[in-house]
Every structure is written in structure tokens, then in C-alpha cells.
Amino acid sequence: MSSADSPTVARLDEAITACCLAAAALTDATLAPQRVAQIAMDCLGLLRAAHPAHSAQGLDMAVFRRGLQGPLGSLLPARSELPGEVSNLHLLDRQGQLSEKVHRLCREHLVPLRALEVPWPWARMRAEQQQGRLHEALQQLPPELYGRARMLCITHPAGEARALRRAWGDLWGKVDFFEPISEWPWAQVAGWWFACPLCQWPMLVEVEDHRARARCTAHAWRGVRYTLDLSRTEGAAPPRLRLTGRPSSKQEWPTRPVVGRPASSDHLAFQEGAWYFTTVAGLAEKELRDRAHKEVPEARCEMWPADPYPDAYDMRLTVPTPHGERVFYIDVKDWMDAAALARALVSKPLPDKPISVVVPDQQESQLPTLKARLPASHYRPFTVTRFLDHVADSARGRA
């Protein structure tokens, strides 16, 4: 990306973030009306600054609020280069609640700007900064501890404090990004919180009358959605959950039951940015490793190798072929905005080995953008299924 393009990209990032923050404020029942109005006005100012003067004049508060009910692209500058999934995203769902995809999009585009300084919990979770601090803490660990810490980020991102201390052992305190779940009102109801059966992090709970809904904002697309009947809660028993989501046909549904846990100060969870960029990403990496082993049992996989430096890529897969061994260097990514992902990759030092950038199957539409914006000699984009097919073909000498 040339320096001439940078202001345009920064303005677009600010516009997307402003729209997401405004939608989140409008759906936050804990905010006073005057605070919502202040946040909306600040966000409108940021959005107008991203537009050319002639189109900014037509952006008043009424237009802004109506636009938050429709596709995101209707609020952005006319020539914004965005993939269809982002441009067509409805910030609010049919029930008027914040779509889980908005959380993902804002994590990808979160940048330091005035709107983030308003005192409300969701905005204070600076996911991008949390990600950077966690990665820095992990990279300071000795190589023999780095892989174990990465795996613990996947398996133990939340839970009762004593159990977490036992699991993390000598690493407890070295990766200190936990917060009390009691301070997260969005993650609890009737004094209980509920862990996603896939990533084990607190699910988002939305309450309406005597009923509540719970969903994981990272895994709702895989069917992690539940209802809770609050009217049947008796004594100290947690509400029972009923699965309402439909498991993805291409993924194994976890058998682990979901039960309520006390939302007390001794129950802790990773900060949101640390969870999303490390736990959720690591879970996808682990699942790809397991599927690669099923596809080619003889393959050897090293997770998070320190060569040439920690976090240069996610895994190294060595596959036996009729002509010798072939090594794949893999980076697993799950971003909504392919253009933002491409910018993030090329902002780092270019790898000295070709990296296979693997995205989820449902994001196959991202491949043309990634292929167009990433240098082909350094990055090769695949979906999960396409990559596993490529690995299997290599093992048979067909690729």
C-alpha cells in the first residue's frame, strides 16, 4: 500500500468503527439517553470526516440513525473498496440487537480515535491493543514455554481462579490478561455466566422479560446459540439452556454440556482482544492441524514454531510425498474484511518462505481479494477445504 493510499484507508477504518460504535451504543440498555446521544454525535462527526465535502453535507443524525438499520455500505463513502460481506452487513439484527458480526468487524478495524474514549465498557475493550500486548508477553517467553502458553490460551481462557492457576502452573502471572467476569454485565444473568462449548469463553447474554438468549459472538455461525427460561430458575440452580442454533454440517459439534457458573469475582476470563485474537484464532489452528492429520496421518505438524521468530506463522506441516518431503508454512486467518487482512499481512516483514494463508470455507469469496493484494511469491491463499485437498494431492504426488 502506497503512502498516498494511507489516509483513505485510515478514514475508512474510522468510518467503519464509528458506525459500529454508534450501533452498539444504541443497543446498550445500560446507557443513559444523553450518553447515547453524545456517542452518536461523536460517531457521526467521524463518519462525516471520512466523506467528501459534497456527500458529508447530506449526513445528518436522522440519515445516520436510519442507515444503522440497513447495510453498512450505505453509510460509507461511495467509492469504498469493501467485500460484499462487509458492505452488505446489517449492524442490527431483526430483533434490533447488535449483530455478532459487528463485534468481529470492529475488532479488525479498531483504531485509536476520540469515540473510544467514552466511558462505557464495550468501547474500553481495545481489542487491537490487547492483542498486541498479549503477543508481546507470549514472545518474551522462552521457546520451550511459548507453545505450552499458546495451547493454554485455547484450552483455559476462562474459569474459576483456582482451576486456572492449576492449569497454567508456572505460567500463571506471566500471561496476565484475565479479568473478573463479575465486572462484565453483558456476560451474565441471574448471577450466572455460560461458557461457549467451543472456545470456553463467556457467551453474550441478552435478556428480554423472563427469557434470555446466549450466543458466542465468535461461534454463533457454527450454531452456538441458546435460550434460557428465567421463569423456571429455582433457588441457587442456574437457568437451563436449550440449544437453538444449527450446528455447521462441516464441523464436529462439541458434546460438552453448557451449564451456568457463578459470575463471582473469583471466576476470570481473558480480556476480549486476547480471547479473540489468541483463543479463537488458536482454536481454528488446532482444528486445522487435527483435520490435516486425518487427511494425511503420516504428516508431522509443529504448532507455533519459533523459527525464524515466534508468531512468524502458525504451524509447519511436513508431508511425505513420492518424491520426498514437502513442507507447508501455514497462517490461519478468520477476518471478515479481506482487504484489512491483506493490509495487516503486508505491514509485517515479508516471509522468506511461501506462506499458505488459510481462511474458513464460508469465506471463499475472500480469495480473489487476497490473491490480488498479497504478493504471490510470499503468500498463497486457500480455504480450509481447498488447502486440505492440496495437502492430500501433494501426499499422492499430484501437486
Side-chain angles (χ1 to χ4, degrees):
M1 177 174 55
S2 67
S3 58
D5 292 333
S6 298
T8 301
V9 169
R11 288 293 192 187
L12 181 59
D13 278 344
E14 290 186 357
I16 291 174
T17 307
C19 292
C20 292
L21 290 175
L26 290 169
T27 57
D28 191 338
T30 67
L31 289 177
Q34 59 269 30
R35 173 60 68 188
V36 174
Q38 177 185 345
I39 294 171
M41 186 61 69
D42 287 346
C43 292
L44 175 59
L46 290 163
L47 177 62
R48 293 186 66 175
H51 279 259
H54 68 276
S55 61
Q57 292 176 356
L59 271 175
D60 58 20
M61 184 56 69
V63 172
F64 186 34
R65 287 191 176 232
R66 284 198 303 271
L68 293 174
Q69 302 285 337
L72 176 59
S74 67
L75 288 173
L76 300 178
R79 295 186 177 181
S80 301
E81 296 183 11
L82 288 173
E85 184 179 9
V86 176
S87 182
N88 296 327
L89 172 64
H90 285 245
L91 300 178
L92 305 178
D93 61 23
R94 294 180 179 178
Q95 288 75 39
Q97 299 298 317
L98 196 68
S99 166
E100 66 268 6
K101 290 186 177 181
V102 175
H103 293 266
R104 296 180 54 197
L105 185 64
C106 205
R107 292 181 193 113
E108 295 168 11
H109 281 269
L110 210 54
V111 292
L113 42 108
R114 188 162 57 97
L116 292 179
E117 299 302 328
V118 295
W120 56 298
W122 190 81
R124 288 203 303 265
M125 294 183 179
R126 294 175 176 237
E128 195 171 77
Q129 296 178 4
Q130 293 168 3
Q131 174 203 18
R133 293 200 307 270
L134 178 57
H135 281 186
E136 181 180 354
L138 290 170
Q139 290 171 9
Q140 290 176 353
L141 294 174
E144 64 272 15
L145 298 180
Y146 179 81
R148 182 157 67 91
R150 289 292 300 266
M151 186 59 70
L152 284 166
C153 289
I154 301 172
T155 58
H156 291 81
E160 195 271 332
R162 287 177 296 180
L164 289 172
R165 290 192 187 96
R166 287 196 299 269
W168 283 80
D170 56 339
L171 288 172
W172 184 256
K174 292 184 172 65
V175 184
D176 188 14
F177 287 82
F178 290 95
E179 294 181 352
I181 298 174
S182 59
E183 298 180 2
W184 295 357
W186 54 266
Q188 54 186 280
V189 62
W192 304 93
W193 68 279
F194 307 89
C196 167
L198 291 175
C199 65
Q200 293 301 293
W201 199 71
M203 291 190 284
L204 172 67
V205 178
E206 299 162 322
V207 181
E208 183 178 355
D209 296 328
H210 293 294
R211 302 193 67 83
R213 295 175 296 174
R215 56 187 167 94
C216 176
T217 59
H219 297 115
W221 67 272
R222 289 179 60 172
V224 183
R225 296 175 180 269
Y226 299 84
T227 58
L228 301 84
D229 188 354
L230 302 183
S231 64
R232 298 177 63 87
T233 303
E234 299 177 359
R240 292 185 178 182
L241 281 76
R242 182 174 66 86
L243 181 65
T244 57
R246 296 183 178 180
S248 171
S249 60
K250 294 185 178 181
Q251 300 285 350
E252 292 185 6
W253 184 249
T255 57
R256 181 186 294 127
V258 178
V259 296
R261 307 181 192 185
S264 57
S265 58
D266 60 349
H267 279 71
L268 310 176
F270 258 0
Q271 296 171 347
E272 184 182 20
W275 157 76
Y276 185 74
F277 286 104
T278 305
T279 304
V280 175
L283 181 63
E285 294 154 9
K286 179 177 177 293
E287 290 178 344
L288 179 63
R289 179 200 66 182
D290 295 343
R291 290 183 64 181
H293 278 153
K294 288 183 179 180
E295 195 72 39
V296 183
E298 301 83 8
R300 304 191 309 277
C301 184
E302 182 180 0
M303 301 287 289
W304 314 298
D307 177 30
Y309 58 87
D311 210 36
Y313 48 87
D314 296 323
M315 66 181 78
R316 181 166 49 221
L317 184 68
T318 304
V319 179
T321 76
H323 310 292
E325 292 186 332
R326 181 171 180 180
V327 181
F328 295 90
Y329 304 91
I330 307 163
D331 212 357
V332 182
K333 297 295 184 184
D334 184 3
W335 289 48
M336 282 187 61
D337 189 339
L341 171 57
R343 292 198 301 270
L345 289 172
V346 299
S347 68
K348 301 191 300 183
L350 291 176
D352 57 358
K353 307 176 183 68
I355 303 294
S356 298
V357 180
V358 182
V359 302
D361 287 337
Q362 74 272 13
Q363 294 175 6
E364 185 169 4
S365 61
Q366 294 183 344
L367 295 184
T369 299
L370 293 175
K371 290 178 180 178
R373 301 194 177 201
L374 294 175
S377 58
H378 297 280
Y379 294 102
R380 299 172 182 173
F382 296 90
T383 61
V384 171
T385 297
R386 287 179 182 270
F387 176 73
L388 293 174
D389 290 343
H390 184 57
V391 168
D393 288 342
S394 299
R396 300 183 185 101
R398 301 175 183 171

